[in-house]
Amino acid sequence: MEGSTEGTEPDSHSISLQPLTPQHTGGEASTIVSPTQTHYDGASDVDGKTMRSRSTSRQNLDEDTLRSAPVGKGGEEDQANVPRPAVDLTQDEGIDSGPFPFKPYQLASLVDPKNLDLLREFGGVRGLLKGLGTHRKRGLSAKALGKTVDTSQHASSAPHAQGDGRPGAGDEPGAGQGASQRHDRSPETGAGDVPKLVVTGPGGEDGGGAPIDATASRDDLDEEDGPTYEANLEERRRVFGDNTLPTRKTKSLLQLMWLALKDKVLVLLSIAAIVSLALGFFQDFGTPRPAGEPPVDWVEGVAIMVAILIVVMVGSINDWQKERQFQTLNEKKEERGVKVIRNGVEMVIDIKEVVVGDVALVEPGEIVPCDGVFLSGHNVKCDESGATGESDAIKKVSYEECVKNGPEGEGAGGGDSMKHTDCFMISGSKVLEGYGSYVVIAVGTKSFNGRIMMALRGDTENTPLQIKLNNLAELIAKLGSAAGLILFSALMIRFFVQLGTHNPDRTPSQWGIAFVQILIISVTLIVVAVPEGLPLAVTLALAFATKRMTKENLLVRVLGSCETMANASVICTDKTGTLTQNVMTVVAGSVGIHCKFVHRLQDNMARTNAEEEPGVKDTGARKHAQDFSIDQEQLNDTLSPALRDLFNQAIAINSTAFEDTEPETGKKVFVGSKTETALLNFAKENGWSDYKETRESADIVQMIPFSSERKAMGVVVRLPGGGFRLYLKGASEILTRICNRHVVVERGSSDKELQTREIDDLARDNITRTIIFYANQTLRTIALCYRDFDSWPPPGVQAETEDEVPYADIAHDLTLIAITGIEDPLRPGVREAVADCHKAGVTVKMCTGDNVLTARSIALQCGIYTAGGIIMEGPIFRQLERQDLLEVVPRLQVLARSSPEDKKLLVETLRSLGEIVGVTGDGTNDGPALKTADVGFSMGIAGTEVAKEASDIILMDDNFASIVKAIMWGRCVNDAVRKFLQFQISTNVTAVIITFVSAVASVEEESVLSAVQLLWINIIMDTFAALALATDPATPQLLDRKPDKKTAPLFSVDMYKQIIGQSAYQTTITLIFHFLGAQILGQHHSGDSATQKHNDAIVQTLVFNIFVFAQIFNSVNSRRLDNHLNIFAGITKNYYFMGITLIEVAVQVLIVFVGGAAFQVTRIGGREWGIALALGFVSIPLGALIRCIPNGPVERFFIKTRLLPNPEVLPTTRPEAEWNSAIQLVRDNLNTFSHVRGGRMRASSYVGKSRNARIAPEARVALPSIMTMVPTLIASSIGAGWAPQSPSGLSNPAQFDPSKSSAALWEGKIQIHPETKPDDPIMQRWGNIAKRT
């Protein structure tokens, strides 16, 4: 029932409010103004008092206002869930703190983790302010600012002041919405005509607060004496740092090109190009040439260089463009104004100018720019889910409140009321509601957000495909060199034999040229063996895919992540905002007690409890026979106009949320508490009267603000026809108890007047049943009620004024309008996307900071939680021993209440099991897991800068369905590379064999194909084939197969079959026609040298033609990698392929007819063309024949010949498991690695390189050195209370974790899906301690 008791507070398990602010854009002032005078954002008191005047806004709000607030102990309860190392204070050692008693990292450790005790040691807020030399109301003094201030002209008091800091008064927006006041000030006060300073704190109104010198607060009398108060801004920046992060230098185009050139394949190609060019020049210009033969041997070297240049340019320009796109995405988040108080003047300064000691102001929608300690304010609630993963709204109260109402305090609000309440502001968190001020304690790289940003900066690893291709390049280089060496040796043996026998007879210079010729042919062989087109194919495929992916809302930051995604076997996804819409929505409800409406009823039949059997006539035998279900769209046809108006007024008038334009999208959205925005959206979807008109037309008499005690809020309005009406909304189980009537809704009652009926026992049972039904589906239930009065204040009620009537005197005898069930619904298409993932062999695991009930509900809805699956909570998961972890992780489907470390542990474990892991994340806390994963997805809309910085691909629409597209395109890239390899390697093998054989057989060491012919074949093989095969578009059929393992070989059995079959065929026909071509064509040896030369040229041309057409037809054959016979599938959609094939044929015909001397070809007749085309075409039926050969026997043969590796067994033990954490501590302290490389970096609590991270094996302390300390270790460990752990990690799952999470609801601490078979190994292992629900 947790979901139903939250009333209209900001949601407890939920979703961060989108920042509807231009805070990152700089420029125009706020677009948000008070929508109406009845709007009262900050006006409600926390202690339950009602508002005196509806136009009052945030008057005199300092910490004294909140003294009676119902709060308890400081710090979140769940902080204990995540035991994190504190900030490494050794970093303070080298810093001279000057006049300040505090050092930067010492201050940073206040919020990481939140530490009220440390703040107490500092002397509380008073000690902190004194130590930082600032004042809680006036901020930094004139001395600190280094100028004399004339308060009547305060615009000149600081160079950054723009006007008076009010909305529209300056050019820059403030933090958050750009305005600290939501209501207009007195109209007679212009922006340039500012009266004597009256700003007293976090947003006092003009005329509402006393001038600074008249403020009688005890804190205002503090003497501003001492060196800290005189420390200027420069000194503060020197000690505590700037509020900037060192900009990550983006690589220039030249640097990117240089990096691209370092690719192993390109290095190999460059060497080949230089050698080929040198030998080409020697052949062309260093040796005498036969008459009429053009010098074209140098072209091969130039062509390889052109190929290298294309690859480098395409790759680096693509990377450069992607980097620019990413920068553009973040640019709008760079500039931002922050509202601070300096010398008592409220002003907007640039975010980079904020210093430690500044008193900054917060307001709804703002993203907190620095770490700080809250000073005073009103009803401030922050969403820290982006920073810490805590999904509940965290209430901010002053330090004094925290101490007073803490566990040991005397306040009545101790205990649980302090849950989710503290006095620490964390950078990167969002302000949901309220106004206040805080003192800045950490900026830039020292702040919580900054430390994580810095920790995530690192170089990317090679992707699985890159590693395999590098290995292939090395292998080809070795084999090509070996073939070249063998050829060189064979030809040199013959050379020495000829030299010894003087046969043929040559001059010394001719012998020299013969030797160089041998060298040339050997190097040519190596050049032919190198697949020049391989890097081009990869680059083109990636470039093509990323362009298409950008259209599909996927911004690829790291090109390689594209192909990594192809074989992703697990996706760990967030719930909020990725699977769900991150917008609370009314998804079901009951108007009156009988009319049950459901959003999209057809898809969500389980959301109604009307117990109707579809298609069965109602017999009236049901307990609640009058209950009926309708789709939400039918509400207007079912409800009478009077009831519709009543329902709409209950929503619109009794609300503080308002509509505004979101700067980033330009869409109209509601701003305010998530529950209220859900109801307003509901009314808007139904087409009811505009909320603003309804609200403005209401004559409001009294407002009853929300309070956590009564879990309700209300408003009293004067009715146009006389009388008064109270509207209430809040937690359904509380309000329905004080209702004694309900509105009547029956089928066909839309034309009737508004009717009400008394709530009898049957109706009461129906209401209770409905609330429990919704709560079991983790819907938050809100009841809307009303009550009419003849006069106000009501007779017999004691009230000082008409807007001060006590709540208890009027909150009874209510009439129930409706109960609404509110939830963050699934995004459209998520169910289908998860099903597609399962079809593609990709497991989806949900990691969420939310409670187990909500997580389970969403997992069931979208199909993640299936038979055989396990649900576990973070606190239990992180305590599992390694063996248990390896058993649980493959079956784990939902990880609830998880911390960032849990998510990271899950990713690391999956990777150690050989899985390729994709992770989605939108919050700062997701950074480490995104960086650890093979592919990190961040959210383009809701994602924080940290998440985007750590990710590889940005989902521009924040939609899980886009991840399926990423898998599809990734597989498309992988397939493109493999298609190209299948084509290229078969061509390479053929070219190497025929060059080798013909060179050995030729007396003059001449190859069957000339250098220029080889160049054209290389262009076909490389550039054209790469372009043709790399541009096949992605199709949904790509999801019909399972992903490959990381260790899977680059060549599959099908590819090997095609490569061997096609190479054998091409080699055979080429060599047959090379040696026997004249006989086949019926040509006889002629004594006439000219005729003989012409005949030889015809044979040479025919061989060249056969080889080229064999390649062209084989490129069509290579469009399929599997055993299916249809190689033409989708060919009509790939215009590149069709166009390139036609160009290849046309150019080949052109070469034969006009190529002449350059290509060493001659014109041939129709018979020769027919032979060439026919033999080329045979590649296609041959490919079909090869596909019919069964894979099994071939695979066994390949494994025996080591062409394919043996399938690997998964690891089951961890070799470096520890028996005692003391050893780990000692090793960590002794380990050179931790001190020399990044010891400080790992001290940050959220960095993925914590001291518990696995240390590089070579850096381990040798075992003998540990053994010498064993006696001492054991003695000290036992003395400290250590005992060996029991073998089962779940025997004491909480171990050292004192947190009380909702895991306590489940006796077994682990849930297994109820449909799991009893003989399933997971049931045998965990069944006895698991709860099957």
Side-chain angles (χ1 to χ4, degrees):
M1 294 275 288
E2 180 183 303
S4 66
T5 59
E6 292 300 319
T8 52
E9 274 190 310
D11 310 33
S12 69
H13 23 272
S14 68
I15 335 142
S16 47
L17 179 70
Q18 291 297 324
L20 308 169
T21 70
Q23 67 262 31
H24 295 310
T25 54
E28 79 274 13
S30 168
T31 54
I32 297 180
V33 292
S34 172
T36 162
Q37 282 293 68
T38 62
H39 169 60
Y40 71 103
D41 292 72
S44 58
D45 287 345
V46 243
D47 60 357
K49 290 180 189 172
T50 50
M51 240 177 75
R52 290 189 177 273
S53 162
R54 54 194 160 94
S55 62
T56 307
S57 175
R58 300 160 52 229
Q59 283 190 340
N60 304 330
L61 295 172
D62 60 12
E63 68 282 1
D64 298 321
T65 318
L66 295 171
R67 283 289 143 90
S68 57
V71 286
K73 72 181 185 192
E76 318 159 51
E77 175 192 70
D78 290 326
Q79 192 63 45
N81 274 13
V82 192
R84 305 193 306 272
V87 177
D88 184 4
L89 298 179
T90 57
Q91 298 170 92
D92 276 334
E93 287 167 7
I95 297 172
D96 170 24
S97 62
F100 301 102
F102 309 122
K103 292 199 173 184
Y105 288 97
Q106 187 184 6
L107 286 173
S109 64
L110 276 174
V111 294
D112 189 12
K114 296 175 181 175
N115 194 336
L116 199 64
D117 294 331
L118 183 60
L119 184 54
R120 194 179 280 119
E121 286 173 29
F122 286 176
V125 166
R126 287 171 69 86
L128 182 67
L129 292 168
K130 193 171 170 84
L132 294 177
T134 190
H135 189 278
R136 77 164 70 213
K137 289 202 186 327
R138 290 200 287 271
L140 296 176
S141 64
K143 294 175 191 171
L145 298 169
K147 32 181 75 67
T148 310
V149 180
D150 173 4
T151 54
S152 64
Q153 294 296 325
H154 68 267
S156 63
S157 66
H160 309 288
Q162 299 286 333
D164 65 346
R166 297 190 325 229
D171 294 331
E172 293 186 73
Q177 308 295 353
S180 70
Q181 276 76 23
R182 293 290 181 215
H183 298 279
D184 299 330
R185 295 189 177 193
S186 308
E188 65 273 9
T189 308
D193 179 23
V194 183
K196 182 155 176 161
L197 181 66
V198 292
V199 177
T200 59
E205 297 279 358
D206 272 6
I212 281 178
D213 53 5
T215 307
S217 166
R218 169 195 61 184
D219 297 302
D220 289 343
L221 303 175
D222 290 346
E223 291 184 17
E224 295 185 5
D225 283 338
T228 56
Y229 288 97
E230 294 170 12
N232 61 21
L233 299 181
E234 285 311 310
E235 177 69 1
R236 288 171 187 275
R237 288 194 184 102
R238 182 191 68 75
V239 176
F240 300 108
D242 285 329
N243 192 28
T244 54
L245 295 180
T247 50
R248 194 177 198 170
K249 279 185 77 178
T250 53
K251 293 182 174 69
S252 66
L253 190 56
L254 282 173
Q255 285 173 307
L256 287 168
M257 288 166 81
W258 175 243
L259 285 172
L261 262 174
K262 288 183 177 176
D263 185 288
K264 276 186 183 173
V265 185
L266 290 183
V267 170
L268 188 66
L269 273 181
S270 305
I271 295 165
I274 292 162
V275 173
S276 179
L277 195 62
L279 294 176
F281 280 137
F282 175 77
Q283 268 187 308
D284 288 341
F285 309 112
T287 59
R289 300 192 67 80
E293 194 175 300
V296 288
D297 289 310
W298 56 272
V299 177
E300 169 79 8
V302 171
I304 298 175
M305 285 183 171
V306 170
I308 294 168
L309 191 67
I310 291 170
V311 171
V312 169
M313 291 299 288
V314 171
S316 51
I317 288 172
N318 215 310
D319 278 345
W320 187 63
Q321 278 181 330
K322 290 289 166 287
E323 193 63 36
R324 293 273 302 276
Q325 258 178 303
F326 179 62
Q327 272 183 314
T328 312
L329 190 75
N330 271 351
E331 248 167 33
K332 57 188 176 201
K333 298 213 165 189
E334 290 298 319
E335 293 306 317
R336 177 179 166 192
V338 176
K339 193 157 286 187
V340 297
I341 298 175
R342 286 185 172 178
N343 196 41
V345 180
E346 185 180 312
M347 60 178 71
V348 176
I349 64 171
D350 190 73
I351 188 169
K352 299 180 182 72
E353 301 294 330
V354 179
V355 295
V356 169
D358 261 324
V359 172
L361 304 177
V362 292
E363 34 190 37
E366 181 182 0
I367 293 179
V368 179
C370 322
D371 294 345
V373 174
F374 191 72
L375 296 176
S376 63
H378 177 65
N379 203 33
V380 174
K381 288 180 182 168
C382 289
D383 176 2
E384 293 180 1
S385 60
T388 64
E390 170 54 64
S391 60
D392 288 329
I394 309 293
K395 188 169 184 179
K396 301 297 171 187
V397 297
S398 66
Y399 164 75
E400 291 82 1
E401 290 288 331
C402 283
V403 173
K404 176 185 168 190
N405 292 316
E408 66 282 340
E410 296 174 7
D416 281 348
S417 63
M418 266 310 271
K419 184 181 177 184
H420 306 312
T421 306
D422 62 51
C423 62
F424 298 104
M425 304 296 288
I426 291 188
S427 50
S429 59
K430 295 170 191 162
V431 181
L432 290 177
E433 54 181 289
Y435 301 82
S437 64
Y438 65 97
V439 61
V440 175
I441 59 167
V443 293
T445 54
K446 318 282 193 309
S447 68
F448 183 92
N449 206 42
R451 287 202 312 280
I452 296 177
M453 283 291 272
M454 295 306 293
L456 292 173
R457 297 189 172 183
D459 295 323
T460 52
E461 297 174 8
N462 273 348
T463 63
L465 184 65
Q466 282 171 324
I467 293 164
K468 287 173 187 173
L469 288 176
N470 280 341
N471 294 340
L472 178 68
E474 282 181 24
L475 180 66
I476 288 173
K478 286 173 188 168
L479 292 175
S481 303
L485 194 64
I486 293 166
L487 178 62
F488 182 72
S489 306
L491 295 180
M492 283 309 291
I493 290 167
R494 188 167 72 182
F495 178 79
F496 287 128
V497 169
Q498 287 174 343
L499 190 62
T501 59
H502 294 284
N503 180 24
D505 201 14
R506 289 170 176 159
T507 63
S509 67
Q510 285 175 325
W511 284 114
I513 289 167
F515 171 74
V516 171
Q517 191 66 38
I518 290 170
L519 198 62
I520 287 169
I521 197 73
S522 304
V523 171
T524 305
L525 187 72
I526 297 172
V527 171
V528 167
V530 174
E532 295 98 310
L534 187 54
L536 183 64
V538 178
T539 308
L540 281 174
L542 287 171
F544 179 74
T546 50
K547 282 269 188 298
R548 294 285 186 92
M549 285 167 82
T550 306
K551 290 177 186 169
E552 304 261 21
N553 289 318
L554 291 157
L555 175 60
V556 181
R557 288 193 60 222
V558 179
L559 269 182
S561 59
C562 237
E563 42 91 354
T564 310
M565 209 47 220
N567 295 319
S569 50
V570 180
I571 292 172
C572 300
T573 176
D574 264 3
K575 175 181 72 70
T576 306
T578 312
L579 296 171
T580 62
Q581 295 176 18
N582 198 10
V583 179
M584 290 303 265
T585 308
V586 175
V587 292
S590 169
V591 187
I593 59 170
H594 298 309
C595 173
K596 317 288 184 182
F597 68 86
V598 179
H599 184 61
R600 292 193 189 141
L601 181 63
Q602 284 304 108
D603 299 335
N604 300 287
M605 291 301 290
R607 288 279 196 220
T608 174
N609 65 335
E611 294 179 2
E612 293 171 308
E613 290 294 323
V616 178
K617 191 176 177 186
D618 189 6
T619 59
R622 292 179 292 138
K623 185 175 181 182
H624 301 286
Q626 291 175 293
D627 285 5
F628 63 96
S629 305
I630 60 167
D631 193 286
Q632 186 184 313
E633 290 179 357
Q634 299 170 290
L635 262 181
N636 289 341
D637 301 331
T638 310
L639 306 185
S640 65
L643 181 52
R644 277 205 304 273
D645 289 343
L646 177 71
F647 202 161
N648 187 39
Q649 286 160 9
I651 291 171
I653 302 172
N654 186 17
S655 173
T656 61
F658 57 96
E659 201 170 32
D660 182 48
T661 305
E662 189 175 2
E664 288 178 16
T665 59
K667 292 179 184 170
K668 288 269 190 184
V669 289
F670 285 105
V671 183
S673 140
K674 294 172 189 176
T675 307
E676 295 192 14
T677 57
L679 288 165
L680 285 171
N681 266 320
F682 169 73
K684 190 176 180 180
E685 281 173 14
N686 291 333
W688 294 346
S689 301
D690 180 58
Y691 88 98
K692 199 170 180 182
E693 290 171 14
T694 308
R695 200 181 282 177
E696 284 175 347
S697 64
D699 182 3
I700 295 178
V701 179
Q702 177 176 344
M703 295 191 77
I704 303 162
F706 179 84
S707 97
S708 49
E709 286 85 24
R710 56 180 171 243
K711 293 208 182 304
M713 66 185 289
V715 62
V716 179
V717 296
R718 183 179 277 108
L719 296 174
F724 299 83
R725 179 170 287 167
L726 162 70
Y727 291 109
L728 278 179
K729 74 163 182 258
S732 55
E733 65 276 20
I734 292 172
L735 287 188
T736 52
R737 280 196 220 115
I738 51 176
C739 288
N740 60 3
R741 300 187 73 78
H742 66 85
V743 296
V744 177
V745 185
E746 294 165 346
R747 286 189 192 274
S749 65
S750 59
D751 54 346
K752 294 182 182 174
E753 286 301 305
L754 180 64
Q755 292 180 312
T756 64
R757 196 174 290 159
E758 198 163 327
I759 296 177
D760 54 18
D761 290 343
L762 189 66
R764 181 77 58 196
D765 174 70
N766 197 338
I767 291 168
T768 309
R769 177 174 151 273
T770 301
I771 293 170
I772 292 170
F773 178 74
Y774 289 153
N776 284 343
Q777 298 177 58
T778 67
L779 300 186
R780 171 168 304 167
T781 54
I782 302 295
L784 293 104
C785 321
Y786 78 100
R787 183 183 173 192
D788 286 338
F789 297 91
D790 294 327
S791 61
W792 195 263
V797 172
Q798 297 296 318
E800 292 175 23
T801 59
E802 71 167 15
D803 63 352
E804 280 287 306
V805 176
Y807 174 77
D809 291 344
I810 52 174
H812 54 83
D813 299 334
L814 304 174
T815 303
L816 177 67
I817 302 171
I819 296 167
T820 56
I822 296 175
E823 178 188 63
D824 183 9
L826 287 186
R827 280 180 173 276
V830 162
R831 284 190 193 91
E832 294 79 6
V834 171
D836 283 342
C837 283
H838 288 154
K839 185 175 75 172
V842 181
T843 314
V844 182
K845 299 183 188 297
M846 182 205 287
C847 303
T848 176
D850 230 327
N851 68 60
V852 73
L853 296 169
T854 309
R856 183 171 172 273
S857 166
I858 296 292
L860 279 168
Q861 281 180 56
C862 56
I864 289 174
Y865 190 35
T866 55
I870 291 176
I871 293 181
M872 199 176 265
E873 290 202 318
I876 294 117
F877 177 75
R878 74 180 77 114
Q879 299 294 347
L880 289 180
E881 290 174 12
R882 182 70 183 174
Q883 187 64 36
D884 292 337
L885 207 59
L886 292 169
E887 284 180 19
V888 165
V889 159
R891 293 293 197 91
L892 185 70
Q893 289 176 341
V894 179
L895 186 60
R897 295 306 272 179
S898 60
S899 70
E901 280 80 4
D902 298 331
K903 201 169 181 179
K904 187 163 172 282
L905 175 63
L906 176 63
V907 173
E908 282 174 343
T909 310
L910 284 166
R911 290 191 71 184
S912 72
L913 288 167
E915 305 283 5
I916 296 176
V917 187
V919 169
T920 72
D922 55 2
T924 301
N925 58 317
D926 295 319
L930 286 169
K931 205 70 180 167
T932 309
D934 293 284
V935 180
F937 291 91
S938 65
M939 305 296 139
I941 301 167
T944 60
E945 285 173 71
V946 170
K948 287 177 189 171
E949 184 72 30
S951 67
D952 305 297
I953 297 175
I954 299 171
L955 303 176
M956 302 303 285
D957 58 353
D958 288 15
N959 198 341
F960 182 81
S962 299
I963 295 172
V964 178
K965 290 176 189 165
I967 295 172
M968 205 161 73
W969 276 104
R971 291 188 177 185
C972 182
V973 169
N974 250 12
D975 281 4
V977 173
R978 289 182 157 195
K979 285 173 191 173
F980 176 77
L981 274 176
Q982 179 176 305
F983 168 75
Q984 167 112 40
I985 301 299
S986 54
T987 309
N988 273 18
V989 170
T990 307
V992 168
I993 293 172
I994 61 173
T995 305
F996 187 99
V997 172
S998 60
V1000 172
S1002 164
V1003 180
E1004 288 152 5
E1005 288 87 28
E1006 280 188 358
S1007 164
V1008 60
L1009 299 170
S1010 71
V1012 184
Q1013 288 174 349
L1014 273 173
L1015 166 64
W1016 168 234
I1017 287 163
N1018 265 357
I1019 289 172
I1020 289 180
M1021 289 190 328
D1022 303 342
T1023 319
F1024 280 1
L1027 196 57
L1029 292 169
T1031 50
D1032 266 345
T1035 59
Q1037 284 74 37
L1038 291 167
L1039 299 173
D1040 292 340
R1041 63 170 197 255
K1042 303 296 178 220
D1044 293 333
K1045 284 276 179 200
K1046 202 181 280 189
T1047 51
L1050 193 55
F1051 296 95
S1052 64
V1053 179
D1054 290 314
M1055 288 170 71
Y1056 271 129
K1057 284 195 311 189
Q1058 287 293 341
I1059 289 167
I1060 293 168
Q1062 295 287 353
S1063 303
Y1065 169 68
Q1066 289 174 16
T1067 306
T1068 307
I1069 58 167
T1070 309
L1071 290 178
I1072 285 172
F1073 273 86
H1074 176 60
F1075 292 113
L1076 304 172
Q1079 291 162 257
I1080 293 168
L1081 293 173
Q1083 295 172 350
H1084 302 289
H1085 190 73
S1086 171
D1088 182 7
S1089 63
T1091 309
Q1092 184 59 40
K1093 196 169 182 185
H1094 178 68
N1095 287 347
D1096 287 347
I1098 287 175
V1099 173
Q1100 172 84 354
T1101 306
L1102 178 59
V1103 170
F1104 175 50
N1105 241 5
I1106 289 169
F1107 193 85
V1108 168
F1109 281 110
Q1111 305 318 315
I1112 291 171
F1113 284 108
N1114 190 28
S1115 70
V1116 179
N1117 180 59
S1118 296
R1119 291 190 70 251
R1120 270 216 107 97
L1121 291 169
D1122 51 25
N1123 275 340
H1124 295 287
L1125 298 179
N1126 183 8
I1127 54 173
F1128 299 103
I1131 197 166
T1132 51
K1133 290 180 185 169
N1134 190 348
Y1135 300 112
Y1136 286 99
F1137 189 90
M1138 294 190 293
I1140 286 166
T1141 306
L1142 289 174
I1143 289 168
E1144 286 174 351
V1145 173
V1147 173
Q1148 181 63 21
V1149 171
L1150 210 61
I1151 286 172
V1152 172
F1153 279 100
V1154 297
F1159 282 88
Q1160 294 170 14
V1161 291
T1162 188
R1163 293 188 179 199
I1164 55 174
R1167 178 180 61 155
E1168 285 78 18
W1169 276 110
I1171 291 169
L1173 281 166
L1175 289 173
F1177 181 78
V1178 171
S1179 289
I1180 289 176
L1182 177 69
L1185 197 65
I1186 292 169
R1187 286 186 172 90
C1188 294
I1189 299 169
N1191 280 7
V1194 180
E1195 187 171 4
R1196 285 193 291 276
F1197 171 73
F1198 286 156
I1199 289 171
K1200 275 187 182 173
T1201 53
R1202 299 290 179 88
L1203 274 173
L1204 283 174
N1206 244 327
E1208 286 187 355
V1209 181
L1210 286 177
T1212 52
T1213 56
R1214 186 189 191 184
E1216 68 270 23
E1218 299 292 356
W1219 64 278
N1220 184 350
S1221 56
I1223 287 185
Q1224 198 163 343
L1225 186 64
V1226 171
R1227 186 189 67 209
D1228 191 38
N1229 289 336
L1230 292 179
N1231 201 314
T1232 321
F1233 185 72
S1234 70
H1235 294 295
V1236 175
R1237 281 196 61 198
R1240 292 183 175 186
M1241 183 73 81
R1242 269 174 303 177
S1244 172
S1245 56
Y1246 275 118
V1247 179
K1249 306 162 186 158
S1250 76
R1251 297 208 165 171
N1252 287 327
R1254 192 168 65 234
I1255 293 165
E1258 64 271 18
R1260 292 185 152 280
V1261 179
L1263 188 62
S1265 62
I1266 286 279
M1267 294 309 291
T1268 58
M1269 296 180 286
V1270 163
T1272 320
L1273 280 173
I1274 292 175
S1276 59
S1277 298
I1278 291 170
W1282 173 82
Q1285 299 301 312
S1286 64
S1288 166
L1290 288 174
S1291 58
N1292 178 15
Q1295 228 165 0
F1296 310 112
D1297 188 343
S1299 68
K1300 293 172 185 162
S1301 85
S1302 51
L1305 296 171
W1306 311 103
E1307 291 170 13
K1309 312 288 183 190
I1310 178 173
Q1311 295 178 54
I1312 296 177
H1313 196 280
E1315 291 170 24
T1316 306
K1317 293 175 182 172
D1319 57 351
D1320 192 304
I1322 211 80
M1323 284 301 296
Q1324 292 163 11
R1325 171 70 182 85
W1326 301 101
N1328 57 336
I1329 53 170
K1331 186 177 182 77
R1332 293 178 73 186
T1333 53

